[in-house]
Amino acid sequence: MTHVSERSGAGSSPTGAGGDRQPWTAGSGRTARKRSVSYADAGVSIEAGDRAVELLKSKVKQTRRPEVMGDLGGFAGLFRLDTKKYKNPILASSTDGVGTKLVIAQQMDIHDTVGIDLVAMVVDDLVACGAEPLFLLDYIATGEVVPDKVAEIGAGIADGCRYAGCALLGGETAEHPGVLRPDEYDISATGVGVVEESDILSPERVEVGDVVIAMRSSGLHSNGYSLVRHVLLGAGRMRLDVVIEDFGRQRTLGEELLTPTKIYAQDCLKLIAEAEVRALAHVTGGGIPGNLVRVLPEHVDAVVNRSTWKPQPVFDLIQSKGRIEDPEMEATFNMGVGMFAIVSAEDADRALATLTGRGVDAWQAGEIIEGSGNVQMIGQHTRG
């Protein structure tokens, strides 16, 4: 993170004899009050923000790429784009947040994983067009800057950037007393990537006969948490510390709900290098049908067979507790698939071998047929 917002600048307060700072008083010639009001009185601690930045510096340095120029603390992050590497470089950008998954983190007082979610939501949108994520800028708004807590959040963001291979170039930490409660915070980020113009993935590349490959999600990822909280914690009156047997490993509900989002960026870039990838679809809000349809041209349909995989137990829990219909589940959650790759039929085996070799649980989930730009969900998930 670059700095804390509304930082007092050097020389921003009047100085008296000898350069000592004097209390600010309103109006010329008026009698000064016995005690001046400070920024801290309004609930903003510059010192706490500076301490949070110091705690994060070592983590941020671990995300550094050779193209990064300068160090933390400037007004802007500098990144030298390697133009010799590309004939026609195209910059891609994406911005996102984590949503109400943050409420779970705040209730459990666990803050070192949501930063990974944040990075995942940004960089996996970038790689969906074939772009390599270059750098990311974050934003943290909180009711009170608690240095250790901000450092935990930032450490998760830095970890996510390392997994994605991008630099954490800078950001902002803002203290908003009176707007957010002291224990509340929200986070967002913007990422920038680059792709050769001729290598941009788009619907125009998708052809009849192509194969649809699914990559397993790590769980809910970062979508649908308003419904999750309503069903499980509201109407269902479940506790976050209750152990759910179906989750295994004595795992609590809260731990499952805070499972970090899988980051696919580096896996997908390797896949693009090894196989004929036509398109990538990042499964976020809107579920499988709502996201896969975005990479289809109007003359084809994608057929996805549910029987090729089994969703994680958390999806069954949500559906049973909330009595949610199948279409609503599929329109809200990823149902066990976080990313789809559409590849040529000739390269399907190579693609699966590449992903498996990188430790990604992937399988052939469907195919591309003649149609009208729709996603056809067929079959039924394996249960039990």
Side-chain angles (χ1 to χ4, degrees):
M1 274 149 280
T2 304
H3 65 283
V4 179
S5 69
E6 299 182 333
R7 180 191 302 278
S8 298
S12 60
S13 298
T15 58
D20 294 332
R21 291 190 176 184
Q22 302 298 314
W24 179 86
T25 57
S28 174
R30 296 181 181 176
T31 302
R33 297 178 179 178
K34 292 183 179 179
R35 182 182 181 278
S36 64
V37 176
S38 70
Y39 210 177
D41 291 327
V44 177
S45 172
I46 297 298
E47 292 77 13
D50 289 344
R51 174 61 178 157
V53 173
E54 285 299 318
L55 290 173
L56 271 172
K57 279 188 175 180
S58 62
K59 271 285 190 178
V60 174
K61 285 182 179 179
Q62 294 176 22
T63 74
R64 191 178 180 93
R65 289 173 52 122
E67 304 97 327
V68 175
M69 302 172 63
D71 206 345
L72 292 177
F75 286 98
L78 301 177
F79 190 96
R80 188 193 304 275
L81 181 63
D82 184 1
T83 55
K84 295 180 181 179
K85 185 178 178 181
Y86 305 90
K87 294 181 180 179
N88 294 295
I90 302 297
L91 293 180
S93 63
S94 176
T95 189
D96 212 334
V98 177
T100 61
K101 187 172 186 175
L102 295 178
V103 176
I104 307 297
Q106 290 159 22
Q107 289 176 342
M108 294 190 67
D109 197 25
I110 296 175
H111 313 286
D112 60 349
T113 60
V114 290
I116 299 174
D117 294 295
L118 178 63
V119 176
M121 300 306 288
V122 173
V123 299
D124 285 340
D125 275 356
L126 289 175
V127 81
C129 70
E132 175 191 0
L134 296 176
F135 60 83
L136 183 134
L137 302 167
D138 65 36
Y139 177 81
I140 302 174
T142 181
E144 178 183 354
V145 171
V146 178
D148 288 341
K149 180 189 290 186
V150 172
E152 286 184 49
I153 299 168
I157 297 172
D159 286 340
C161 286
R162 284 194 298 108
Y163 303 153
C166 66
L168 180 52
L169 195 58
E172 175 86 351
T173 300
E175 196 165 28
H176 291 169
V179 178
L180 297 171
R181 294 195 310 269
D183 61 333
E184 283 185 320
Y185 61 86
D186 197 7
I187 59 178
S188 63
T190 296
V192 172
V194 63
V195 58
E196 183 69 60
E197 185 173 11
S198 60
D199 295 335
I200 295 175
L201 302 181
S202 66
E204 289 72 25
R205 290 175 175 256
V206 178
E207 300 176 359
V208 172
D210 287 344
V211 170
V212 178
I213 291 177
M215 302 177 218
R216 183 169 293 279
S217 69
S218 56
L220 290 168
H221 284 185
S222 298
N223 302 106
Y225 273 78
S226 293
L227 180 56
V228 170
R229 292 186 300 110
H230 172 73
V231 168
L232 301 184
L233 308 182
R237 298 184 179 180
M238 296 185 69
R239 291 175 37 168
L240 292 172
D241 61 356
V242 65
V243 174
I244 306 296
E245 185 177 346
D246 287 345
F247 294 165
R249 304 190 307 275
Q250 291 294 301
R251 193 168 172 82
T252 66
L253 175 61
E255 289 170 337
E256 177 66 29
L257 296 183
L258 283 186
T259 301
T261 303
K262 168 72 175 172
I263 295 177
Y264 301 95
Q266 289 297 308
D267 302 315
C268 288
L269 290 174
K270 182 65 174 177
L271 180 62
I272 291 169
E274 296 292 332
E276 183 63 33
V277 178
R278 313 287 201 192
L280 293 168
H282 185 201
V283 183
T284 55
I288 293 172
N291 286 281
L292 192 52
V293 73
R294 298 164 66 179
V295 298
L296 299 179
E298 294 182 354
H299 65 282
V300 306
D301 281 1
V303 179
V304 176
N305 192 337
R306 300 184 188 92
S307 68
T308 59
W309 81 94
K310 178 182 177 181
Q312 291 91 336
V314 67
F315 296 106
D316 287 335
L317 177 66
I318 294 167
Q319 185 165 19
S320 61
K321 284 286 185 180
R323 299 178 182 176
I324 303 172
E325 299 291 334
D326 288 343
E328 183 68 17
M329 290 292 295
E330 290 190 337
T332 307
F333 303 109
N334 64 61
M335 299 305 293
V337 179
M339 181 76 77
F340 281 103
I342 299 177
V343 304
S344 67
E346 295 77 12
D347 276 7
D349 289 342
R350 180 191 296 272
L352 287 170
T354 298
L355 292 170
T356 300
R358 294 184 59 84
V360 179
D361 186 358
W363 64 94
Q364 183 171 332
E367 61 180 339
I368 302 298
I369 64 171
E370 291 184 3
S372 53
N374 296 312
V375 177
Q376 300 181 29
M377 303 292 294
I378 64 172
Q380 297 298 322
H381 292 301
T382 303
R383 302 289 182 179

